Amino acid sequence: MSALQTSDVPTLLVKIFGKDRPGITAGLFDTLAAYSVDVVDIEQVVTRGRIVLCALVTEPPQGLAGELRATVHSWAETMKLQAEIISGLGDNRPRGLGRSLVTVLGHPLTAEATSAIAARITRTGGNIDRIFRLAKYPVTAVEFAVSGVETATLRTALVTDAAALGVDVAVVAAGLHRRAQRLVVMDVDSTLIQDEVIELFAAHAGCEDKVAEVTAAAMRGELDFEQSLHARVALLAGLDASVVDKVRSEVRMTPGARTLIRTLKRLGYQVGVVSGGFTQVTDDLRERLGLDFAQANTLEIADGKLTGRVSGEIVDRAGKARLLRRFAAEAGVPLSQTVAIGDGANDLDMLNAAGLGVAFNAKPVVREAAHTAVNVPFLDTVLYLLGVTREEVEAADTLDLDLDLDLDPATGPEAHPRSR
């Protein structure tokens, strides 16, 4: 029976720390190899040029533990490192039931917030097994691997504290399914793009104030979405259809939107949008961004003029959730493996239906109801919630450049600088 299967086999925890340089890991295990030990576990972390390397190995045969200790210390001294060796029995203790990944986004991430998150994990009965940095810009993103507490319990406890601490926290169950989330569906207005498309049309029609009044009435609950949609679109009656091209040119992408979509597509995800806006814009976005799915309301046009009506299926709050399910079915993806991103109350059904619902710079009621919230203005931070690191994103961009692919300057990595 191996040391991995029993708790009474003598083992040694060998810890090496100091200034990092090439050859340390190979040197340590070359030293240990002379004593015929088996490797049970390895952990290595390098932070600002300082290495901490831990090796859990079986105790050497024939009473050679003392000699092994002396040899390791001697080797460490020649490398200008420090060594610590601790005797024990068996492997690490088994992780508790309930495995979760906690992603914390800070801009900046303060020691106070980190302390509060760690303390809350402990109070829920969880244990932090590992911590890993996903990104250092444009936000600091770290991931905690936690065991010993159910994911739903941990999420409730941490998300409650997140807003007060000035950080965003996402809690998902650990496991292969996290990497298997293969469909991402997002809202358009104030999510994928910075604008509200109806307001762009209204500016050309000279009725911005009237549209704003209807929007405010809907926000107060005096009108439902469909009523407000018809009332606002009616104000556009008579507008020349040529304004569609002008509105398309005025649309401003949210920072990080192209990076998010490009990276998701490289990972094999399918990506779609659903919008209470208009197909005259979303169809253009679908073509430009290479989206797999797109659905919105359609402005009716007759004789080269907007009629002030919409045609076809209305995309409202319930419609967005329905479309998420439809897209998932067409993509062959279980609903539990979908991600939805939105900012408004009309996104709530979709966010709650998805395996992971992300409130992006959303209203308080949406933040409270979604699985997690992102409150920084960079849409590609959603990648960190999926376990994708900034280094992986940049490596993929660099590979594309090395392959001399035709990257548009507006969508390539140079459009997403460190300093943004």
Side-chain angles (χ1 to χ4, degrees), residues 37-89:
V37 298
D38 296 330
V39 177
V40 178
D41 196 4
I42 309 171
E43 290 277 356
Q44 178 173 307
V45 176
V46 177
T47 305
R48 210 179 66 178
R50 309 293 292 185
I51 186 172
V52 178
L53 170 59
C54 293
L56 184 64
V57 300
T58 55
E59 192 173 274
Q62 302 171 348
L64 295 176
E67 183 180 328
L68 180 150
R69 288 171 180 270
T71 303
V72 169
H73 279 286
S74 176
W75 167 82
E77 187 175 346
T78 65
M79 297 290 289
K80 297 183 179 179
L81 299 168
Q82 294 179 276
E84 180 181 2
I85 303 175
I86 303 171
S87 299
L89 295 174

Side-chain angles (χ1 to χ4, degrees), residues 1 23 39 48 69 87 98 121 184 194 203 232 250 299 339 344:
M1 184 173 289
V39 177
R48 210 179 66 178
R69 288 171 180 270
S87 299
I121 290 172
V184 176
Q194 300 179 59
R232 287 178 290 181
E250 292 166 351
L299 291 170
V339 180

Side-chain angles (χ1 to χ4, degrees), residues 46 68 158 245 356 358:
V46 177
L68 180 150
L158 293 178
D245 288 334
L356 176 64
V358 181

Side-chain angles (χ1 to χ4, degrees), residues 80-143:
K80 297 183 179 179
L81 299 168
Q82 294 179 276
E84 180 181 2
I85 303 175
I86 303 171
S87 299
L89 295 174
D91 195 354
N92 305 306
R93 68 177 185 177
R95 296 177 63 191
L97 296 177
R99 311 285 175 81
S100 303
L101 296 170
V102 178
T103 306
V104 182
L105 309 179
H107 189 56
L109 179 60
T110 66
E112 178 183 9
T114 306
S115 171
I117 293 294
R120 175 64 76 173
I121 290 172
T122 300
R123 288 199 297 274
T124 62
N127 184 71
I128 299 172
D129 301 313
R130 291 183 179 87
I131 304 176
F132 176 72
R133 186 178 72 181
L134 296 168
K136 60 183 178 182
Y137 67 88
V139 300
T140 301
V142 295
E143 181 176 274

